[in-house]
Amino acid sequence: MPPANATALVLRTTDWSETSRIATLWTREFGKVRVLAKGGRRLRSSFESALDLLTLCRIVLLRKSSGGLDLLTEAQVVRRFPGLSTRLPALYAAYYVAELLADWTEENDPHPHLFDEALDALGTLADPAAGEAVGPRLVRFELVLLRELGYSPLLDVCAACHAPADHPPAFSASAGGVVCAGCAPRQRDRRPLSPACHEALVQLSASGDAWRRPWGYAVRAELRQVLGGYVTYLLGRRPRLLPYLQGS
Ligand SMILES: [Zn+2]
């Protein structure tokens, strides 16, 4: 296989031997890839700092045709997000982005729009001025991720009976979105949905800029609960970072 160039975000690394590491990378060109970075002095000199978590790199890969790991032959740092390390809510949110991409996307299934969205989200989270926008920005990322993977929650019609739902009283992860007053009692996993949170979900789904608005604490907290429950249901387990996002 000829060498392939890609732009990659480092999602996870583990030591493979004393001189090599396995890295999970989210690439714009190929989607998620797992690579072996062989080491020795070369690893320390050219790879080590490039393979820090959440570093954006230009990489060169030798792709494996089937199964196995790709071989990473070059990695150069393009961008880091140093602002993340100074504020825990932003850092946990960024780790959550990496966890969802690492655990939920398929290898060799590119989603360039989701790649760009992840980078944009990390840039916002790393901005010291993000403040209370951390939570809504993360929700916007989750909604884009869900859409790209085919799991957009239904927000304008009841997810159970598909009747128009102007003021849905509840959200059901198993139904796949909001549920109307008639269907809600039959959805055992329903959780109450306030009109303000419903409106926030609609706006954050529709617009890439709606997270910039000053969402109040109650809505931010409810958004976190709704999205966290939905993601947990779809993944089949609670993301490790999810408990650290409460209150963001
Ligand atoms: Zn219904």
Side-chain angles (χ1 to χ4, degrees):
M1 297 285 282
N5 294 288
T7 305
L9 183 68
V10 180
L11 300 180
R12 190 172 283 166
T13 64
T14 50
D15 289 334
W16 174 248
S17 68
E18 282 190 15
T19 55
S20 56
R21 292 157 89 182
I22 291 175
T24 303
L25 308 176
W26 174 238
T27 70
R28 195 169 198 284
E29 293 79 0
F30 309 111
K32 185 172 70 181
V33 295
R34 293 179 72 235
V35 301
L36 180 64
K38 283 187 181 170
R41 296 172 70 162
R42 204 167 57 113
L43 177 63
R44 281 193 295 277
S45 58
S46 68
F47 284 166
E48 195 164 43
S49 69
L51 291 181
D52 288 342
L53 193 61
L54 296 173
T55 299
L56 183 68
C57 312
R58 284 296 300 169
I59 61 170
V60 179
L61 293 171
L62 292 177
R63 308 228 62 209
K64 285 278 160 37
S65 52
S66 65
L69 296 165
D70 294 344
L71 190 63
L72 186 68
T73 61
E74 291 179 36
Q76 288 190 324
V77 176
V78 172
R79 183 178 179 190
R80 295 183 190 278
F81 300 94
L84 293 173
S85 59
T86 57
R87 288 160 301 118
L88 276 179
L91 184 65
Y92 288 145
Y95 284 163
Y96 180 69
V97 168
E99 181 183 358
L100 292 185
L101 291 172
D103 289 354
W104 211 348
T105 62
E106 301 287 335
E107 290 184 37
N108 303 307
D109 177 22
H111 288 271
H113 179 62
L114 182 56
F115 181 92
D116 296 342
E117 172 66 17
L119 278 197
D120 191 78
L122 292 175
T124 301
L125 297 173
D127 184 343
E132 293 177 347
V134 165
R137 184 65 190 87
L138 189 59
V139 168
R140 170 64 186 174
F141 168 79
E142 289 169 291
L143 289 167
V144 171
L145 174 91
L146 290 167
R147 183 186 303 156
E148 286 278 322
L149 299 184
Y151 296 115
S152 279
L154 282 176
L155 300 174
D156 55 348
V157 297
C158 171
C161 73
H162 294 263
D166 293 336
H167 302 289
F171 186 96
S172 164
S174 64
V178 300
V179 285
C180 70
C183 293
R186 290 194 295 278
Q187 302 299 325
R188 297 175 65 180
D189 71 332
R190 69 188 181 276
R191 50 161 300 120
L193 186 68
S194 74
C197 187
H198 178 235
E199 180 61 22
L201 283 170
V202 169
Q203 292 194 26
L204 289 164
S205 292
S207 157
D209 283 330
W211 60 267
R212 298 178 188 275
R213 290 173 206 160
W215 301 102
Y217 175 81
V219 168
R220 300 202 308 273
E222 190 177 347
L223 282 169
R224 185 69 269 138
Q225 291 294 322
V226 171
L227 264 296
Y230 189 46
V231 166
T232 297
Y233 172 82
L234 292 170
L235 267 180
R237 60 177 176 75
R238 191 171 71 169
R240 282 179 301 121
L241 266 297
L242 189 60
Y244 297 94
L245 303 179
Q246 306 309 332
S248 62

